[in-house]
Amino acid sequence: MALHFERSEFDARRDRLMIEMAEKKLDAMLLFAQESMYWLTGYDTFGFCFFQCLVVKADGSMVLLTRSADLRQARQTSIIDNIVLWTDRDGANPAVDLRNLLNDLDLLGARIGVEYDTHGLTAFNGRRLDEQLQTFGQIADASGIVGRLRLFKSPAEVAKAEKAANLSDDALDAALPLIKQGGDEALILAAMQGAIFAGGGDYPANEFIIGSGIDALLCRYKAGRRKLTKNDQLTLEWAGVFHHYHAPMMRTVLTGKVSKRHQELFDAARAALLAVEKAMTPGNSFGDVFDAHARTMEAHGLTKHRLNACGYSVGARFTPSWMDMPMFYQGNPEPIAPNMTLFAHMIIMDSEAETAMTLGRTYLTTESQPKPLSRHDLDLIVQ
């Protein structure tokens, strides 16, 4: 069995969920988020692109409804003993199979929580689910319950995050010798992902961001590669990944001469990240962290060049994004607490000057100041 945690770890997670379900008077939960299934049972698959559901009853018992392609996947990667299959066929409606399963589990008329807010439940399947359950029981939106439990990392999870952070550093180390005049983005990207694989890591939940020249101002991956020029800018956002736990980093690396504007933007990004670190302590909120970022950007006259969020929680995530909730944005009341793994990114994009600057790394929160998980410093990198 390919489990990445001790059975006692999964038992503790189940017990935490049962407490939450009891407080919210839920007789059962229907989990559709792959992150929830992985956290609770170890179940590891990309099969959530199809209909599947983990039913968790108030007594802690679990049943997985999935397709035949994931039967062995669930047996081999999870602690789930009870697996029920719905059959691929013309006109199949797995929501009917789920309703029948819930009936077999004696949940007719029960109060059932549903994880609606996830890529694991499309709008199409969500509508079919609601059609089947509207007269079956009392349905409640339980989207955030497991997600909030996942926000607080156990010692075993922290160890995964620290390993992922080491792989992030290894990826940067592999990239730096290739970042120079004539350097090929394709080779840089291959070196970074290769270093993570060679270190025992995994695919990330979303593509790495790589862009030079004017494309250094983009905050998303796009297809196409170019070679670096003598005085160039290269924006990279990547994550070391270990057993699906992510530790992202972000840097804009320069080749050749540092322009005055690049230096101005870097000074602001570094000051903002240091201000964010000071705010990332118990007693403050995620909104307070964003405000520290925003005040620094305003002091440097860069409000119109910054983003409206400056980071988010990270952990074990699946496609299409390694971003987790909660995020650092204005007014977010979620308190900072120990044992969170949080990615803070300072992103400044001056479209008028076609100048980019980014700086970001992953932290472990503590009882006081956060601990950076990267061994790299915050100096401007010029090749």
Side-chain angles (χ1 to χ4, degrees):
M1 185 177 290
L3 292 176
H4 302 307
F5 295 96
E6 298 293 331
R7 181 58 186 255
S8 58
E9 176 88 5
F10 292 114
D11 290 344
R13 296 174 185 179
R14 178 204 60 208
D15 292 346
R16 290 171 62 195
L17 178 57
M18 289 171 63
I19 291 170
E20 288 293 316
M21 292 174 66
E23 290 181 353
K24 292 174 174 56
K25 296 180 172 55
L26 295 175
D27 299 303
M29 281 189 65
L30 307 184
L31 302 184
F32 290 94
Q34 185 58 42
E35 294 81 8
S36 297
M37 299 185 203
Y38 180 76
W39 180 82
L40 193 61
T41 72
Y43 179 38
D44 190 350
T45 182
F46 60 74
F48 62 90
C49 57
F50 298 97
F51 188 101
Q52 67 173 4
C53 177
L54 181 66
V55 182
V56 184
K57 295 184 69 175
D59 62 4
S61 60
M62 295 179 283
V63 184
L64 176 67
L65 176 67
T66 190
R67 300 167 64 244
S68 59
D70 277 300
L71 173 62
R72 292 161 189 82
Q73 196 86 8
R75 285 176 176 170
Q76 210 157 311
T77 66
S78 80
I79 61 171
I80 304 170
D81 293 322
N82 195 348
I83 303 169
V84 177
L85 301 181
W86 64 270
T87 303
D88 295 286
R89 62 188 181 279
D90 185 45
N93 184 353
V96 174
D97 296 80
L98 179 55
R99 178 190 169 112
N100 292 337
L101 173 60
L102 296 176
N103 190 60
D104 292 342
L105 293 173
D106 197 27
L107 289 170
L108 181 64
R111 178 172 165 80
I112 301 173
V114 180
E115 265 190 338
Y116 284 107
D117 189 11
T118 170
H119 298 95
L121 184 64
T122 63
F124 175 74
N125 282 328
R127 290 180 64 180
R128 295 204 290 184
L129 177 71
D130 287 343
E131 288 170 359
Q132 293 302 317
L133 297 186
Q134 61 183 347
T135 61
F136 184 86
Q138 182 182 354
I139 307 304
D141 189 339
S143 297
I145 292 178
V146 178
R148 193 161 195 285
L149 293 176
R150 291 175 46 248
L151 175 59
F152 305 96
K153 306 301 190 290
S154 69
E157 290 180 290
V158 170
K160 305 287 188 190
E162 290 174 336
K163 172 63 175 177
N166 287 335
L167 295 174
S168 292
D169 287 332
D170 292 344
L172 181 56
D173 289 339
L176 289 178
L178 304 176
I179 301 176
K180 57 187 177 181
Q181 182 179 358
D184 191 329
E185 287 182 1
L187 298 181
I188 294 168
L189 188 60
M192 297 181 77
Q193 187 65 81
I196 292 169
F197 285 151
D202 302 302
Y203 285 108
N206 59 257
E207 301 90 340
F208 292 174
I209 294 169
I210 182 168
S212 58
I214 188 63
D215 290 341
L217 280 74
L218 301 182
C219 295
R220 297 286 184 263
Y221 172 86
K222 71 168 192 63
R225 305 284 178 263
R226 71 182 287 269
K227 293 184 178 180
L228 304 179
T229 59
K230 181 179 180 180
N231 295 302
D232 214 329
Q233 55 184 354
L234 176 70
T235 292
L236 299 168
E237 186 183 46
W238 72 102
V241 189
F242 186 69
H243 294 165
H244 293 292
Y245 284 80
H246 291 69
M249 293 179 66
M250 196 167 194
R251 290 286 190 279
T252 297
V253 182
L254 306 180
T255 64
K257 184 179 179 181
V258 180
S259 70
K260 179 182 177 182
R261 189 55 170 164
H262 273 124
Q263 189 65 56
E264 291 173 347
L265 299 189
F266 174 78
D267 291 343
R270 190 175 189 279
L273 187 56
L274 293 176
V276 159
E277 287 185 14
K278 290 182 179 179
M280 201 186 295
T281 57
N284 288 330
S285 68
F286 275 65
D288 293 330
V289 173
F290 174 80
D291 290 345
H293 152 266
R295 284 194 301 269
T296 306
M297 293 298 179
E298 183 178 13
H300 285 79
L302 296 172
T303 299
K304 71 176 183 178
H305 301 302
R306 66 161 171 82
L307 301 187
N308 293 321
C310 67
Y312 39 83
S313 175
V314 288
R317 287 284 291 178
F318 288 75
T319 305
S321 175
W322 68 52
M323 293 185 288
D324 221 337
M325 291 294 173
M327 299 183 74
F328 298 131
Y329 52 67
Q330 185 177 7
N332 190 340
E334 180 68 41
I336 299 292
N339 301 317
M340 297 176 173
T341 48
L342 307 177
F343 174 50
H345 58 63
M346 307 300 106
I347 299 176
I348 311 172
M349 302 302 184
D350 184 346
S351 296
E352 297 166 3
E354 296 187 350
T355 304
M357 186 52 61
T358 65
L359 187 63
R361 60 184 179 182
T362 300
Y363 297 85
L364 173 66
T365 58
T366 70
E367 297 287 350
S368 55
Q369 290 300 122
K371 173 188 174 185
L373 295 185
S374 173
R375 64 177 178 262
H376 283 273
D377 58 33
L378 297 180
D379 293 341
L380 177 61
I381 302 175
V382 184
Q383 299 289 95

